[in-house]
């Protein structure tokens, strides 16, 4: 290997720096923290072994939420530091949503198996969309009522309704607007068409995800075969799912968020797969060019959702720092809030004084007499869901960004394949630093 790989647990100096905050994990790299002399500079890269990936895949629940020691001694350091904590806490991996719960999206070629597993989970999620559609069909009917009322109240509103339907149909093919005109006189046909559009969209997502999963399975079975077909499939899926994610308008709506979440996760997996395969065959420049296009787009989508879901009618609560209030203490950790601020354009550049001011205003607002009725339990639960959703977006964005750094590392070291600098299948299971 051109780069030494050692278990992170065997580097107490690095662990100490992560504990005291002088270093931070960002995606799949460790950087000097902002405010230090070398703030922002990369210290080390991180990589997982195939054995660790397999253990994580076999856990029936998120390893970061339970107390199991399935990860083994490779991710604990009580003996080294005399502190009863797990390395997942040191690495600030606790409470990351399931869509971004491991590091191998960033750098590990061994992560192909996990990527396939993740895609299978996405497919299962898609299976619930139809059930959600059925349970929420009253909302569809209400929407159709509004369209019907628009016809009565005036031509302008009818035209606006037609435009909304036309835009929705354009998402599917761009040429199906005539269908609305054919069924506008029949409420039953309108309902049927709405279902058909939803089914078609779901089928298209499943088809693309299934195609990528098949290629990942094939790569796992035949790792020495040419990856050209897998690269081609990953590129096609990436283009389709990124388009789906970028077209969606951010809304605090469960069905929209679910569909976008599926598209975004698939987009991240497809992009990481294509980049990793290019690095595996010794094409770091091509991988860097790919990521230079995809990472900014991914960040833009993450920021759009961040700004939309963080925004509140109440000015003082329209900040990610509202999650620092005591009502969220049992549900949202400080590290999750920190990750969310990274995709909040209004929060991430605030000075320490401004942050303190924001937090004070939040606390005062929640102490107001109307707080208990206006910000009730339902509102609180919705905020917890928003925090988890945005956390996953922020973390996935960081993982893809760190993959750019890994591509740069491969190029600077002149390796013929990224396999040369990653821990192999025969190495001890654990999390490694490069």
């Amino acid at each position: 290997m051109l780069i030494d790989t050692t278990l992170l647990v065997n580097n107490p100096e690095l662990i100490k720096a992560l504990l005291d905050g002088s270093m931070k994990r960002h995606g799949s790299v460790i950087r000097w923290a902002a405010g230090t002399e070398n703030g922002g500079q990369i210290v080390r890269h991180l990589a997982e072994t195939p054995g660790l990936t397999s253990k994580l895949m076999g856990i029936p629940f998120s390893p970061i939420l339970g107390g199991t020691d399935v990860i083994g001694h490779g991710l604990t350091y009580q003996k080294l530091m005399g502190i009863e904590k797990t390395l997942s806490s040191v690495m600030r991996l606790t409470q990351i949503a399931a869509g971004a719960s491991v590091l191998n999206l960033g750098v590990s070629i061994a992560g192909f198996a996990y990527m396939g597993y993740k895609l299978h989970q996405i497919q299962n999620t898609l299976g619930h969309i139809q059930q959600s559609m059925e349970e929420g069909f009253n909302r569809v009917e209400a929407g159709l009522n509004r369209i019907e009322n628009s016809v009565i109240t005036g031509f302008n509103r009818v035209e606006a309704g037609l435009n909304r339907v036309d835009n929705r149909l354009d998402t599917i093919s761009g040429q199906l607007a005539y269908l609305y005109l054919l069924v506008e006189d029949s409420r039953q046909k309108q309902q049927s068409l709405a279902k058909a559009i939803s089914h078609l969209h779901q089928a298209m997502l499943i088809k693309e995800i299934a195609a990528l999963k098949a290629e990942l399975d094939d790569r796992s079975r035949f790792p020495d075969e040419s990856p050209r077909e897998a690269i081609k499939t990953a590129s096609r899926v990436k283009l389709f799912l990124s388009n789906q994610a970028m077209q969606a308008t951010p809304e605090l709506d469960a069905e929209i968020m679910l569909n976008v979440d599926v598209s975004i996760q698939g987009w991240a997996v497809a992009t990481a797969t294509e980049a990793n395969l290019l690095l595996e065959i010794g094409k770091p420049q091509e991988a860097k060019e790919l990521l230079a296009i995809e990472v900014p787009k991914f960040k833009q989508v993450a920021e759009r959702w961040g700004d939309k879901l963080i925004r509140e009618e109440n000015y003082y609560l329209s900040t990610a720092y509202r999650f620092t209030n005591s009502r969220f203490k049992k549900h949202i950790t400080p590290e999750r809030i920190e990750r969310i601020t990274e995709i909040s354009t209004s929060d991430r550049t605030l000075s320490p004084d401004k942050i303190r001011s924001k937090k004070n205003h939040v606390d005062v607002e929640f102490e107001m007499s109307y707080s208990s009725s206006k910000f009730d339990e339902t509102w609180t639960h919705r905020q917890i869901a928003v925090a988890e959703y945005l956390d996953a977006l922020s973390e996935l964005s960081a993982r893809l960004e760190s993959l750019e750094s890994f591509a740069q590392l491969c190029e600077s070291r002149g390796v013929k394949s990224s396999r040369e600098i990653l821990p192999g299948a025969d190495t001890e299971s654990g999390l490694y630093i490069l």
Side-chain angles (χ1 to χ4, degrees), residues 144-410:
L144 291 170
N145 282 331
R146 287 193 296 272
I147 293 176
E148 186 176 53
N149 291 335
S150 295
V151 176
I152 298 172
T153 55
F155 179 80
N156 289 335
R157 294 187 64 187
V158 173
E159 184 178 16
L162 285 169
N163 286 336
R164 286 195 298 271
V165 175
D166 186 55
N167 289 337
R168 186 178 183 187
L169 292 169
D170 282 346
T171 303
I172 305 300
S173 74
Q175 300 296 327
L176 298 179
Y178 68 90
L179 288 176
Y180 179 78
L181 299 176
L182 292 177
V183 302
E184 64 177 344
D185 62 334
S186 170
R187 184 173 200 166
Q188 184 177 1
K189 288 181 180 179
Q190 288 174 356
Q191 293 175 337
S192 177
L193 179 59
K195 281 187 176 182
I197 292 172
S198 177
H199 293 167
L200 181 58
H201 184 245
Q202 178 181 343
M204 293 168 70
L205 287 174
I206 290 176
K207 178 183 177 182
E208 295 302 317
I209 289 174
L212 181 55
K213 185 177 185 301
E215 289 293 343
L216 292 173
D217 289 341
D218 186 69
R219 286 295 298 163
S220 296
R221 296 188 185 103
F222 308 103
D224 296 325
E225 296 293 324
S226 170
R228 288 185 60 183
E229 284 302 315
I231 292 174
K232 187 188 300 183
T233 300
S235 180
R236 189 191 76 236
V237 174
K238 173 200 69 189
L239 290 170
F240 176 78
L241 294 179
S242 64
N243 179 265
Q244 294 294 302
M246 294 178 70
Q247 280 190 5
T249 301
E251 291 291 342
L252 186 57
D253 176 88
E255 189 173 322
I256 293 174
M257 291 170 69
L258 177 60
N259 278 288
V260 173
D261 190 34
V262 169
S263 297
I264 284 177
Q265 288 191 39
W267 177 14
V269 170
T271 301
T273 298
E274 185 178 357
N276 274 322
L277 288 171
L278 289 170
L279 293 172
E280 182 181 340
I281 61 176
K283 294 185 178 295
Q285 183 59 40
E286 287 81 349
K288 285 172 57 182
E289 291 172 357
L290 163 69
L291 293 166
I293 295 172
E294 296 303 314
V295 172
K297 290 195 300 184
F298 196 95
K299 284 184 175 181
Q300 183 182 35
V301 170
E303 288 172 1
R304 282 175 56 209
W305 278 91
D307 290 343
K308 174 64 179 181
L309 298 186
I310 288 171
R311 191 178 304 129
E312 278 282 321
E313 292 181 4
N314 185 307
Y315 170 78
Y316 295 113
L317 299 185
S318 192
T319 171
Y321 291 107
R322 67 174 177 263
F323 301 129
T324 62
N325 186 261
S326 58
R327 67 170 57 204
F328 299 114
K329 186 175 182 180
K330 294 181 180 179
H331 309 285
I332 304 176
T333 62
E335 63 193 35
R336 167 166 280 183
I337 299 169
E338 183 178 337
R339 285 192 293 266
I340 294 172
T341 60
E342 292 179 2
I343 59 171
S344 171
T345 57
S346 62
D347 288 317
R348 66 185 176 205
T349 58
L350 293 176
S351 66
D353 287 340
K354 287 287 187 180
I355 292 173
R356 281 192 293 272
S357 177
K358 287 275 187 183
K359 292 179 179 179
N360 289 335
H361 282 133
V362 166
D363 291 339
V364 169
E365 194 63 26
F366 281 129
E367 291 173 1
M368 300 299 287
S369 58
Y370 54 75
S371 174
S372 58
S373 58
K374 190 173 183 179
F375 309 117
D376 56 12
E377 187 177 22
T378 299
W379 183 88
T380 300
H381 288 168
R382 191 183 301 121
Q383 297 307 305
I384 295 169
V386 165
E388 180 174 344
Y389 194 82
L390 295 181
D391 187 13
L393 285 179
S394 178
E395 184 62 23
L396 284 172
S397 181
R399 301 283 171 86
L400 288 176
E401 184 179 5
S402 61
L403 183 51
E404 279 191 287
S405 301
F406 182 67
Q408 177 63 45
L409 177 67
C410 290

Side-chain angles (χ1 to χ4, degrees), residues 53 56-57 98 101-102 104 110-119 121:
T53 299
L56 288 169
M57 287 168 57
S101 59
V102 294
N104 58 24
F112 284 141
Y114 179 79
M115 290 181 188
Y117 166 75
K118 196 67 208 170
L119 286 170
Q121 287 188 319

